[in-house]
Amino acid sequence: MLDNLRGMAVFASVVGHGSFSGSARELGITTSAVSQQIRSLENELGVVLLHRSTRKLSLTEAGESFYEAAKDVVSAAEQGRIKVNQLRDELAGSLRIATTPELGVHHILPALSTWMAAHDDLSITYLADNHYVDMIDERIDIAIRMSPNINDTTLCNHPLSDVRQMLVASPQYLRQHKKIETPKDLADHKMIVIDIMQDPNQVELTHTETGKKTKMKMNSRIHTNNVFMAMTLAKEGHGLIRIMEMDIKRELENGTLVEVLTGYQLPSFVLYAVTLNHEQQPAKITRSLEVLKKYFNAN
């Protein structure tokens, strides 16, 4: 089949130029190679396509009929090449981004909103979920994740931002419960557990001045797999939450949540944009990564 398609392209070129030599120059091959392609095609089809003479070429009846089909094949291939080039070089086609609901609402959408509005030939799909997404199965172009894929050579990690964890509660909760002055005081408090986090009941604190580390396993009675739900529960005074600072900037600014144990730090993370590991990425992926990096650098 591939040989036939190649032969059809050579045949269409020969007829278009009216000579083997003209076709050879266009295709960048020798005249004898062009002649061989035509002979092979005729042998495969079992018909003569061209009358050859020392002065000119002319189409046989079968050749005239076949030339129309050959032109269509070449035209379709050229249109396909143009579309592929557009998808590679232009901000068009589809872009699929996987993120968490919290990152999507608070950061990814604000980062890309103006850029999306400027490129309306681009169709964008956001998959907002707290579960790991298989990038190949789900045809994901960019996934936003808190951990790199060190052992997966099919993926490429693009660092976006350092992300600080915080331990917070509502002012109402802190007024009604025992003061929290040292990590040991956490034993008298309840944690609202976000199950999607690693070691959700565990709190590791480092004293900012001495560097001394303290690990506390907190009690809990409320669990959720959704950060928005945990934030609401915390604001209503049901306990403390361990959460990413970038998810609660608004709450910290308006005072509905406040940090506890400000003299201590929790472990930080790095936020990554993850793509499939290709030498050449379509322009829509590279440009969106540039916009995301610029946003997080500015913030």
Side-chain angles (χ1 to χ4, degrees):
M1 176 61 74
L2 288 177
D3 287 341
N4 284 350
L5 293 175
R6 189 180 298 108
M8 291 175 78
V10 172
F11 173 66
S13 176
V14 168
V15 176
H17 285 279
S19 70
F20 281 29
S21 59
S23 174
R25 284 192 297 272
E26 179 196 41
L27 299 175
I29 58 178
T30 64
T31 302
S32 61
V34 171
S35 179
Q36 178 59 42
Q37 285 284 344
I38 299 301
R39 281 197 300 272
S40 297
L41 186 62
E42 289 177 327
N43 291 337
E44 179 70 23
L45 295 173
V47 295
V48 175
L49 299 173
L50 291 167
H51 293 303
R52 303 160 177 81
S53 71
T54 55
R55 293 185 177 182
K56 64 177 182 178
L57 298 174
S58 62
L59 289 166
T60 65
E61 181 180 4
E64 288 181 357
S65 176
F66 192 69
Y67 179 53
E68 296 303 317
K71 282 197 302 182
D72 289 343
V73 167
V74 172
S75 176
E78 178 62 17
Q79 289 301 313
R81 186 187 65 80
I82 291 172
K83 288 181 179 179
V84 168
N85 287 345
Q86 286 175 337
L87 291 174
R88 183 193 65 204
D89 300 330
E90 298 179 12
L91 298 179
S94 66
L95 180 67
R96 292 171 63 82
I97 300 174
T99 182
T100 66
E102 304 77 36
L103 284 171
V105 170
H106 292 147
H107 297 284
I108 306 306
L109 291 180
L112 296 178
S113 182
T114 301
W115 181 75
M116 287 190 302
H119 303 289
D120 53 10
D121 288 336
L122 197 59
S123 173
I124 301 180
T125 299
Y126 289 100
L127 279 73
D129 201 325
N130 285 316
H131 295 291
Y132 178 89
V133 176
D134 188 295
M135 295 188 65
I136 295 176
D137 287 349
E138 297 291 340
R139 296 183 294 109
I140 299 300
D141 296 301
I142 302 173
I144 310 299
R145 294 176 178 169
M146 283 292 183
S147 58
N149 297 274
I150 299 173
N151 298 320
D152 193 337
T153 57
T154 66
L155 301 178
C156 184
N157 304 296
H158 309 268
L160 296 177
S161 177
D162 290 328
V163 181
R164 181 186 170 213
Q165 284 192 100
M166 300 180 73
L167 196 61
V168 299
S170 70
Q172 170 195 350
Y173 176 88
L174 295 175
R175 284 192 301 267
Q176 295 175 352
H177 295 79
K178 184 178 176 181
K179 285 187 178 181
I180 306 175
E181 297 178 338
T182 70
K184 290 182 179 180
D185 294 331
L186 295 174
D188 298 318
H189 294 266
K190 300 290 186 183
M191 173 78 85
I192 300 167
V193 172
I194 305 173
D195 288 326
I196 59 173
M197 301 184 77
Q198 188 176 10
D199 298 324
N201 287 76
Q202 185 87 19
V203 178
E204 181 182 316
L205 296 155
T206 302
H207 196 281
T208 53
E209 293 184 3
T210 66
K212 181 181 178 182
K213 295 182 183 295
T214 304
K215 288 187 179 181
M216 293 291 298
K217 187 132 180 126
M218 292 187 63
N219 296 318
S220 60
R221 68 182 187 90
I222 301 176
H223 293 247
T224 178
N225 68 345
N226 185 278
V227 173
F228 286 132
M229 181 73 74
M231 287 166 53
T232 302
L233 288 163
K235 286 189 287 187
E236 292 182 356
H238 292 285
L240 288 81
I241 54 172
R242 177 164 62 94
I243 195 167
M244 305 299 173
E245 181 183 16
M246 64 194 311
D247 288 335
I248 55 166
K249 279 191 172 182
R250 188 177 305 160
E251 287 72 18
L252 292 172
E253 289 170 359
N254 62 31
T256 54
L257 290 173
V258 295
E259 185 179 9
V260 302
L261 293 174
T262 54
Y264 294 81
Q265 290 183 342
L266 279 77
S268 295
F269 292 90
V270 176
L271 182 68
Y272 292 90
V274 181
T275 61
L276 293 176
N277 193 10
H278 297 311
E279 287 188 10
Q280 292 187 346
Q281 294 282 9
K284 59 193 175 187
I285 294 180
T286 57
R287 289 293 299 279
S288 57
L289 286 173
E290 289 170 3
V291 174
L292 287 170
K293 289 177 181 178
K294 183 177 180 180
Y295 169 86
F296 283 103
N297 284 338
N299 285 275

